[in-house]
Coordinates of all heavy atoms in Angstrom, one line a residue:
Y20 N 98.1 116.0 77.4 CA 98.8 116.2 76.1 C 100.2 116.3 76.2 O 101.0 115.7 75.4 CB 98.2 117.4 75.4 CG 99.0 117.7 74.1 CD1 98.8 116.9 72.9 CD2 99.9 118.7 74.0 CE1 99.5 117.1 71.7 CE2 100.7 118.9 72.9 CZ 100.5 118.2 71.8 OH 101.2 118.4 70.7
D21 N 100.7 117.1 77.3 CA 102.1 117.2 77.5 C 102.7 115.8 77.8 O 103.8 115.5 77.3 CB 102.5 118.1 78.7 CG 102.0 119.5 78.3 OD1 102.1 120.0 77.1 OD2 101.5 120.2 79.3
F22 N 102.1 115.0 78.6 CA 102.7 113.7 79.0 C 102.7 112.8 77.7 O 103.7 112.0 77.5 CB 102.0 113.1 80.1 CG 102.1 113.8 81.4 CD1 101.1 114.2 82.2 CD2 103.4 114.0 82.0 CE1 101.3 114.9 83.4 CE2 103.6 114.6 83.2 CZ 102.6 115.0 83.9
E23 N 101.7 112.9 76.9 CA 101.6 112.1 75.7 C 102.8 112.5 74.8 O 103.4 111.6 74.3 CB 100.2 112.3 75.0 CG 100.2 111.6 73.7 CD 98.9 111.8 73.0 OE1 98.0 112.6 73.5 OE2 98.6 111.2 72.0
K24 N 103.0 113.7 74.7 CA 104.1 114.2 73.8 C 105.5 113.7 74.4 O 106.4 113.2 73.7 CB 104.2 115.8 73.8 CG 105.2 116.3 72.9 CD 105.1 117.8 72.9 CE 106.3 118.4 72.1 NZ 106.6 119.7 72.4
V25 N 105.7 113.8 75.7 CA 106.9 113.3 76.4 C 107.1 111.8 76.1 O 108.2 111.4 75.7 CB 106.9 113.4 77.9 CG1 107.9 112.7 78.7 CG2 107.0 114.9 78.2
I26 N 106.0 110.9 76.1 CA 106.1 109.5 75.9 C 106.5 109.3 74.4 O 107.5 108.5 74.2 CB 104.8 108.8 76.4 CG1 104.8 108.8 77.8 CG2 104.9 107.4 75.8 CD1 103.4 108.4 78.4
K27 N 105.8 109.9 73.6 CA 106.1 109.8 72.1 C 107.5 110.2 71.7 O 108.0 109.7 70.8 CB 104.9 110.4 71.3 CG 103.6 109.8 71.4 CD 102.6 110.5 70.5 CE 101.3 109.7 70.5 NZ 100.3 110.4 69.6
E28 N 107.9 111.2 72.3 CA 109.4 111.7 72.0 C 110.5 110.9 72.6 O 111.6 111.0 72.1 CB 109.5 113.1 72.5 CG 108.7 114.1 71.6 CD 108.7 115.5 72.1 OE1 109.3 115.8 73.2 OE2 108.4 116.5 71.4
N29 N 110.1 110.1 73.6 CA 111.2 109.4 74.4 C 111.2 107.9 74.4 O 112.2 107.3 74.8 CB 111.2 110.0 75.8 CG 111.7 111.4 75.9 OD1 112.9 111.6 75.9 ND2 110.7 112.3 76.0
Y30 N 110.1 107.4 74.0 CA 110.0 105.9 73.9 C 109.5 105.4 72.6 O 108.8 106.1 71.8 CB 109.2 105.4 75.2 CG 109.6 105.9 76.4 CD1 108.9 107.0 77.1 CD2 110.7 105.3 77.1 CE1 109.4 107.5 78.3 CE2 111.2 105.9 78.3 CZ 110.5 106.9 78.9 OH 110.9 107.4 80.1
S31 N 109.6 104.1 72.4 CA 109.1 103.5 71.2 C 108.6 102.1 71.3 O 108.8 101.6 72.4 CB 110.3 103.5 70.0 OG 111.3 102.8 70.5
G32 N 108.0 101.6 70.3 CA 107.5 100.3 70.3 C 106.5 99.9 71.4 O 105.7 100.8 71.7
Q33 N 106.7 98.8 72.0 CA 105.7 98.3 73.0 C 105.8 99.1 74.4 O 104.8 99.4 75.0 CB 105.9 96.8 73.3 CG 104.8 96.3 74.2 CD 103.5 96.3 73.4 OE1 103.4 95.9 72.3 NE2 102.4 96.8 74.1
E34 N 107.0 99.6 74.7 CA 107.1 100.5 75.9 C 106.3 101.8 75.7 O 105.5 102.2 76.6 CB 108.5 100.8 76.1 CG 108.7 101.7 77.4 CD 110.1 102.0 77.8 OE1 111.0 101.7 77.1 OE2 110.3 102.3 79.0
E35 N 106.4 102.4 74.4 CA 105.6 103.6 74.2 C 104.1 103.2 74.3 O 103.3 104.0 74.9 CB 105.9 104.1 72.9 CG 105.0 105.2 72.4 CD 105.3 105.7 70.9 OE1 106.2 105.2 70.3 OE2 104.5 106.6 70.5
A36 N 103.6 102.2 73.6 CA 102.3 101.7 73.7 C 101.8 101.5 75.0 O 100.7 102.0 75.5 CB 102.1 100.5 72.9
N37 N 102.6 100.9 75.9 CA 102.1 100.6 77.3 C 102.0 101.9 78.1 O 101.1 102.1 78.8 CB 103.2 99.7 78.0 CG 103.1 98.2 77.3 OD1 102.2 97.9 76.6 ND2 104.0 97.4 77.8
L38 N 103.1 102.7 78.0 CA 103.0 104.0 78.7 C 101.9 104.9 78.3 O 101.3 105.5 79.1 CB 104.4 104.7 78.5 CG 105.5 104.1 79.3 CD1 106.9 104.8 78.9 CD2 105.3 104.2 80.9
L39 N 101.5 104.9 76.9 CA 100.4 105.6 76.4 C 99.1 105.0 77.1 O 98.2 105.9 77.4 CB 100.4 105.7 75.0 CG 101.4 106.5 74.2 CD1 101.4 106.3 72.8 CD2 101.2 108.0 74.6
S40 N 99.0 103.8 77.2 CA 97.8 103.2 77.8 C 97.7 103.5 79.3 O 96.7 103.5 79.8 CB 97.7 101.7 77.5 OG 98.6 101.0 78.3
A41 N 98.9 103.7 79.9 CA 98.9 104.1 81.3 C 98.6 105.6 81.6 O 98.3 106.0 82.8 CB 100.3 103.7 81.9
L42 N 98.6 106.4 80.6 CA 98.4 107.9 80.7 C 97.3 108.2 81.7 O 97.4 109.1 82.4 CB 98.3 108.5 79.3 CG 99.6 109.2 78.9 CD1 99.4 109.9 77.6 CD2 100.2 110.1 79.8
P43 N 96.0 107.7 81.5 CA 94.9 108.2 82.3 C 95.2 107.9 83.8 O 95.0 108.9 84.6 CB 93.8 107.2 81.9 CG 94.0 106.9 80.5 CD 95.6 106.8 80.4
G44 N 96.0 106.9 84.1 CA 96.3 106.6 85.5 C 97.4 107.5 85.9 O 97.5 108.1 87.1
I45 N 98.4 107.8 85.1 CA 99.5 108.7 85.4 C 99.0 110.1 85.7 O 99.3 110.7 86.6 CB 100.5 108.7 84.2 CG1 101.3 107.4 84.1 CG2 101.5 109.8 84.4 CD1 102.1 107.1 82.9
Y46 N 98.1 110.5 84.7 CA 97.5 111.9 84.9 C 96.7 112.0 86.1 O 96.7 113.0 87.0 CB 96.8 112.3 83.7 CG 96.4 113.8 83.7 CD1 97.4 114.7 83.7 CD2 95.1 114.2 83.9 CE1 97.1 116.1 83.7 CE2 94.7 115.5 83.9 CZ 95.8 116.5 83.8 OH 95.4 117.8 83.9
K47 N 95.8 111.0 86.4 CA 94.9 111.0 87.4 C 95.8 110.9 88.8 O 95.4 111.5 89.8 CB 93.8 109.8 87.4 CG 92.8 110.0 88.5 CD 91.7 108.9 88.3 CE 90.6 109.1 89.4 NZ 89.6 108.0 89.2
G48 N 96.8 110.1 88.8 CA 97.7 110.1 89.9 C 98.3 111.4 90.3 O 98.5 111.7 91.4
Q49 N 98.6 112.1 89.3 CA 99.2 113.6 89.5 C 98.1 114.4 90.1 O 98.4 115.2 91.0 CB 99.7 114.1 88.2 CG 100.3 115.5 88.4 CD 101.1 116.1 87.2 OE1 102.1 115.7 87.1 NE2 100.4 116.9 86.5
E50 N 96.9 114.4 89.5 CA 95.9 115.3 89.8 C 95.2 115.0 91.3 O 94.9 115.8 92.0 CB 94.8 115.3 88.9 CG 95.2 115.9 87.5 CD 95.6 117.3 87.7 OE1 94.9 118.1 88.1 OE2 96.8 117.6 87.3
Q51 N 95.0 113.7 91.4 CA 94.4 113.2 92.7 C 95.3 113.0 93.9 O 95.0 113.3 94.9 CB 93.6 111.8 92.5 CG 92.8 111.4 93.5 CD 91.9 110.2 93.1 OE1 91.8 109.9 92.0 NE2 91.6 109.4 94.1
Y52 N 96.6 112.5 93.6 CA 97.5 112.2 94.7 C 98.8 113.1 94.8 O 99.6 112.9 95.5 CB 97.9 110.7 94.6 CG 96.7 109.8 94.8 CD1 96.2 109.1 93.6 CD2 96.1 109.7 96.0 CE1 95.1 108.2 93.9 CE2 95.1 108.8 96.3 CZ 94.6 108.1 95.2 OH 93.6 107.1 95.3
N53 N 98.9 114.0 93.8 CA 100.0 114.9 93.6 C 101.3 114.2 93.5 O 102.3 114.6 93.9 CB 100.2 115.8 94.9 CG 99.0 116.8 95.1 OD1 98.6 117.4 94.1 ND2 98.5 116.9 96.2
V54 N 101.3 113.0 92.8 CA 102.6 112.3 92.4 C 102.8 112.7 91.0 O 102.1 112.4 90.1 CB 102.3 110.8 92.6 CG1 103.6 110.0 92.0 CG2 102.1 110.4 94.0
N55 N 103.9 113.3 90.8 CA 104.4 113.9 89.6 C 104.3 112.8 88.4 O 104.8 111.8 88.6 CB 105.7 114.5 89.6 CG 106.2 115.1 88.4 OD1 106.8 114.4 87.5 ND2 106.1 116.4 88.3
G56 N 103.7 113.2 87.3 CA 103.5 112.3 86.2 C 104.9 112.0 85.5 O 105.0 110.8 85.1
L57 N 105.8 112.9 85.5 CA 107.2 112.5 84.9 C 107.8 111.5 85.9 O 108.5 110.6 85.3 CB 108.0 113.7 84.8 CG 107.6 114.8 83.7 CD1 108.6 116.0 83.7 CD2 107.6 114.0 82.3
F58 N 107.7 111.6 87.2 CA 108.3 110.7 88.1 C 107.6 109.3 87.9 O 108.4 108.3 87.8 CB 108.1 111.2 89.5 CG 108.4 110.2 90.7 CD1 109.7 109.8 90.8 CD2 107.3 109.7 91.4 CE1 110.0 108.9 91.9 CE2 107.6 108.8 92.5 CZ 109.0 108.4 92.7
S59 N 106.3 109.3 87.7 CA 105.7 107.9 87.4 C 106.2 107.3 86.2 O 106.3 106.1 86.1 CB 104.2 108.2 87.3 OG 103.6 108.6 88.6
I60 N 106.3 108.2 85.1 CA 106.8 107.6 83.8 C 108.2 107.0 84.0 O 108.5 106.0 83.6 CB 106.7 108.7 82.8 CG1 105.3 109.1 82.4 CG2 107.5 108.3 81.5 CD1 105.2 110.3 81.6
A61 N 109.0 107.8 84.8 CA 110.4 107.5 84.8 C 110.6 106.1 85.7 O 111.3 105.2 85.3 CB 111.2 108.5 85.6
V62 N 109.7 106.0 86.7 CA 109.7 104.8 87.5 C 109.3 103.6 86.7 O 110.0 102.5 86.8 CB 108.9 105.0 88.8 CG1 108.8 103.6 89.6 CG2 109.5 106.0 89.8
A63 N 108.3 103.7 85.9 CA 107.8 102.6 85.1 C 108.9 102.2 84.1 O 109.0 101.0 83.8 CB 106.5 103.0 84.3
H64 N 109.6 103.2 83.5 CA 110.7 102.8 82.7 C 111.9 102.1 83.4 O 112.3 101.1 82.9 CB 111.3 104.1 82.0 CG 112.5 103.9 81.1 ND1 112.5 103.2 80.0 CD2 113.9 104.2 81.4 CE1 113.7 103.1 79.4 NE2 114.5 103.6 80.4
I65 N 112.3 102.6 84.6 CA 113.4 102.0 85.3 C 113.0 100.6 85.8 O 113.8 99.6 85.8 CB 113.8 102.9 86.4 CG1 114.4 104.3 85.9 CG2 114.8 102.2 87.4 CD1 115.6 104.1 85.0
E66 N 111.8 100.5 86.3 CA 111.4 99.2 86.9 C 111.2 98.1 85.9 O 111.5 96.9 86.2 CB 110.0 99.4 87.7 CG 110.2 100.1 89.0 CD 111.0 99.2 90.1 OE1 110.9 97.9 90.0 OE2 111.8 99.8 90.7
S67 N 110.6 98.4 84.7 CA 110.2 97.4 83.7 C 110.2 97.8 82.3 O 109.7 97.1 81.5 CB 108.8 96.8 84.1 OG 107.9 97.9 83.8
H68 N 110.9 98.9 82.0 CA 110.9 99.4 80.6 C 109.4 99.5 80.2 O 109.1 99.0 79.1 CB 111.8 98.6 79.7 CG 113.2 98.8 79.9 ND1 113.9 99.8 79.3 CD2 114.1 98.2 80.8 CE1 115.2 99.7 79.7 NE2 115.3 98.9 80.7
G69 N 108.6 100.2 81.0 CA 107.2 100.4 80.7 C 106.4 99.1 80.5 O 105.5 99.0 79.7
G70 N 106.7 98.1 81.4 CA 106.0 96.9 81.3 C 106.3 95.9 80.0 O 105.7 95.1 79.6
T71 N 107.7 96.0 79.7 CA 108.1 95.2 78.6 C 109.2 94.3 79.1 O 109.7 93.3 78.4 CB 108.6 96.0 77.4 OG1 109.8 96.8 77.8 CG2 107.6 96.9 76.8
A72 N 109.8 94.5 80.2 CA 111.0 93.7 80.7 C 110.6 93.1 82.1 O 110.6 93.7 83.1 CB 112.2 94.6 80.9
W73 N 110.2 91.8 82.0 CA 109.6 91.1 83.1 C 110.5 90.0 83.6 O 110.6 89.0 82.9 CB 108.2 90.5 82.8 CG 107.2 91.4 82.3 CD1 106.9 91.8 80.9 CD2 106.4 92.3 83.0 NE1 106.0 92.8 80.9 CE2 105.7 93.0 82.1 CE3 106.3 92.5 84.4 CZ2 104.7 94.0 82.5 CZ3 105.2 93.4 84.8 CH2 104.5 94.2 83.9
D74 N 111.3 90.3 84.6 CA 112.2 89.2 85.2 C 111.5 88.4 86.1 O 111.5 87.1 86.1 CB 113.5 89.9 85.7 CG 114.3 90.5 84.6 OD1 114.2 90.1 83.5 OD2 115.0 91.5 85.0
L75 N 110.9 88.9 87.1 CA 110.2 88.3 88.2 C 108.7 88.3 88.3 O 108.2 87.5 89.0 CB 110.8 88.8 89.5 CG 112.3 88.8 89.8 CD1 112.7 89.6 91.0 CD2 112.9 87.4 89.8
I76 N 108.2 89.3 87.5 CA 106.7 89.5 87.6 C 106.1 88.9 86.4 O 106.4 89.3 85.3 CB 106.4 90.9 87.9 CG1 107.3 91.4 89.2 CG2 105.0 91.2 88.1 CD1 107.2 92.9 89.3
D77 N 104.9 88.3 86.5 CA 104.1 87.8 85.4 C 103.6 89.0 84.7 O 102.9 89.9 85.4 CB 103.0 86.9 86.0 CG 102.2 86.3 84.9 OD1 102.0 86.9 83.8 OD2 101.7 85.1 85.1
S78 N 103.7 89.1 83.4 CA 103.2 90.2 82.6 C 101.7 90.4 82.8 O 101.2 91.5 82.6 CB 103.6 90.2 81.2 OG 103.0 88.9 80.6
S79 N 100.9 89.4 83.1 CA 99.5 89.5 83.1 C 99.0 90.3 84.4 O 97.9 90.7 84.5 CB 98.8 88.1 83.2 OG 99.2 87.5 84.5
T80 N 100.0 90.7 85.3 CA 99.7 91.4 86.5 C 99.6 93.0 86.1 O 99.1 93.8 86.9 CB 100.8 91.3 87.6 OG1 102.0 91.8 87.1 CG2 100.9 89.9 88.0
Y81 N 100.2 93.4 84.9 CA 100.4 94.8 84.6 C 101.1 95.6 85.5 O 101.1 96.8 85.6 CB 99.0 95.4 84.2 CG 98.2 94.8 83.2 CD1 97.2 93.8 83.3 CD2 98.5 95.3 81.9 CE1 96.6 93.3 82.3 CE2 97.8 94.7 80.8 CZ 96.8 93.7 81.0 OH 96.1 93.1 80.0
N82 N 101.9 94.9 86.4 CA 102.6 95.6 87.5 C 103.9 96.1 87.0 O 105.0 95.7 87.4 CB 102.7 94.6 88.7 CG 103.3 95.2 89.9 OD1 103.8 96.3 89.9 ND2 103.2 94.5 91.0
M83 N 103.9 97.2 86.2 CA 105.1 97.8 85.7 C 105.9 98.5 86.7 O 107.1 99.0 86.4 CB 104.8 98.5 84.5 CG 104.1 99.8 84.6 SD 103.9 100.7 83.1 CE 102.5 101.6 83.3
Y84 N 105.4 98.7 88.0 CA 106.1 99.4 89.0 C 106.7 98.5 90.0 O 107.3 98.9 91.0 CB 105.1 100.4 89.7 CG 104.7 101.6 88.8 CD1 103.6 101.4 88.1 CD2 105.5 102.7 88.7 CE1 103.1 102.5 87.2 CE2 105.1 103.7 87.8 CZ 103.9 103.6 87.0 OH 103.6 104.6 86.2
S85 N 106.5 97.2 89.8 CA 107.1 96.2 90.8 C 106.5 96.4 92.3 O 107.4 96.4 93.1 CB 108.7 96.2 90.7 OG 109.1 96.0 89.4
I86 N 105.3 96.6 92.4 CA 104.8 96.8 93.6 C 104.4 95.5 94.3 O 103.6 94.7 93.7 CB 103.4 97.6 93.6 CG1 103.8 99.0 92.9 CG2 102.8 97.8 94.9 CD1 102.7 99.9 92.6
K87 N 104.9 95.2 95.5 CA 104.6 94.0 96.2 C 103.3 94.1 97.0 O 102.9 95.1 97.3 CB 105.8 93.7 97.2 CG 107.0 93.3 96.4 CD 108.2 93.0 97.5 CE 109.4 92.5 96.7 NZ 110.4 92.2 97.5
S88 N 102.7 93.0 97.2 CA 101.4 92.8 97.9 C 101.5 91.5 98.7 O 101.5 90.4 98.2 CB 100.3 92.8 97.0 OG 99.0 92.6 97.7
G89 N 101.5 91.7 100.1 CA 101.6 90.5 100.9 C 102.8 89.7 100.5 O 104.0 90.0 100.6
D90 N 102.6 88.4 100.1 CA 103.7 87.5 99.8 C 104.0 87.4 98.3 O 104.6 86.5 97.9 CB 103.3 86.1 100.4 CG 102.1 85.4 99.8 OD1 101.3 86.3 99.1 OD2 101.8 84.3 100.0
G91 N 103.4 88.3 97.6 CA 103.6 88.2 96.1 C 103.6 89.6 95.5 O 103.9 90.7 96.0
W92 N 103.3 89.6 94.2 CA 103.3 90.9 93.4 C 101.8 91.3 93.3 O 100.9 90.6 93.0 CB 103.9 90.7 92.1 CG 105.3 90.3 92.2 CD1 105.8 89.1 92.0 CD2 106.4 91.2 92.5 NE1 107.2 89.1 92.2 CE2 107.6 90.4 92.5 CE3 106.6 92.5 92.7 CZ2 108.8 90.9 92.8 CZ3 107.8 93.0 93.1 CH2 108.9 92.2 93.1
R93 N 101.6 92.6 93.4 CA 100.2 93.3 93.2 C 99.8 93.1 91.7 O 100.6 93.1 90.8 CB 100.3 94.6 93.7 CG 99.0 95.3 93.5 CD 98.6 96.1 94.7 NE 97.4 96.7 94.4 CZ 97.2 98.1 94.4 NH1 98.1 98.9 94.7 NH2 95.9 98.5 94.1
Q94 N 98.6 92.8 91.6 CA 97.9 92.6 90.4 C 97.0 93.8 90.0 O 96.3 94.3 90.9 CB 97.2 91.4 90.2 CG 98.0 90.1 90.4 CD 97.4 89.0 89.8 OE1 96.4 89.0 89.1 NE2 98.0 87.8 90.0
F95 N 97.1 94.3 88.8 CA 96.3 95.4 88.3 C 95.5 95.0 87.0 O 95.9 94.0 86.4 CB 97.2 96.6 88.0 CG 98.0 97.1 89.1 CD1 99.3 96.6 89.3 CD2 97.4 97.9 90.0 CE1 99.9 97.1 90.4 CE2 98.1 98.5 91.1 CZ 99.4 98.0 91.3
T96 N 94.4 95.7 86.7 CA 93.6 95.3 85.6 C 94.2 95.8 84.2 O 93.9 95.2 83.2 CB 92.2 95.9 85.7 OG1 92.3 97.4 85.9 CG2 91.4 95.5 87.0
D97 N 94.9 96.8 84.2 CA 95.7 97.3 83.1 C 96.8 98.3 83.6 O 97.0 98.5 84.8 CB 94.7 98.0 82.2 CG 93.9 99.2 82.8 OD1 94.5 99.8 83.7 OD2 92.7 99.3 82.4
F98 N 97.6 98.8 82.6 CA 98.7 99.7 83.0 C 98.2 101.0 83.6 O 98.9 101.6 84.4 CB 99.6 100.0 81.8 CG 100.4 98.7 81.4 CD1 100.1 98.3 80.1 CD2 101.2 98.1 82.2 CE1 100.9 97.1 79.6 CE2 101.9 97.0 81.8 CZ 101.8 96.5 80.5
S99 N 97.0 101.5 83.2 CA 96.5 102.7 83.8 C 96.2 102.5 85.3 O 96.6 103.3 86.1 CB 95.3 103.2 83.1 OG 94.8 104.4 83.6

Side-chain angles (χ1 to χ4, degrees):
Y20 172 77
D21 295 324
F22 289 126
E23 179 180 0
K24 184 178 175 201
V25 165
I26 290 168
K27 288 181 175 181
E28 289 178 348
N29 289 281
Y30 305 103
S31 61
Q33 193 59 52
E34 182 174 17
E35 176 186 355
N37 292 351
L38 289 170
L39 288 172
S40 75
L42 261 181
I45 291 168
Y46 189 69
K47 188 173 182 179
Q49 177 172 283
E50 294 301 300
Q51 186 172 341
Y52 296 109
N53 294 317
V54 175
N55 182 277
L57 290 177
F58 172 65
S59 294
I60 292 167
V62 171
H64 173 73
I65 297 303
E66 284 294 324
S67 68
H68 288 267
T71 65
W73 304 95
D74 292 334
L75 302 173
I76 305 170
D77 186 328
S78 63
S79 69
T80 66
Y81 295 97
N82 190 345
M83 67 178 158
Y84 293 94
S85 305
I86 300 171
K87 292 185 178 180
S88 176
D90 61 349
W92 298 102
R93 179 129 179 243
Q94 297 207 8
F95 297 96
T96 57
D97 55 33
F98 289 121
S99 182

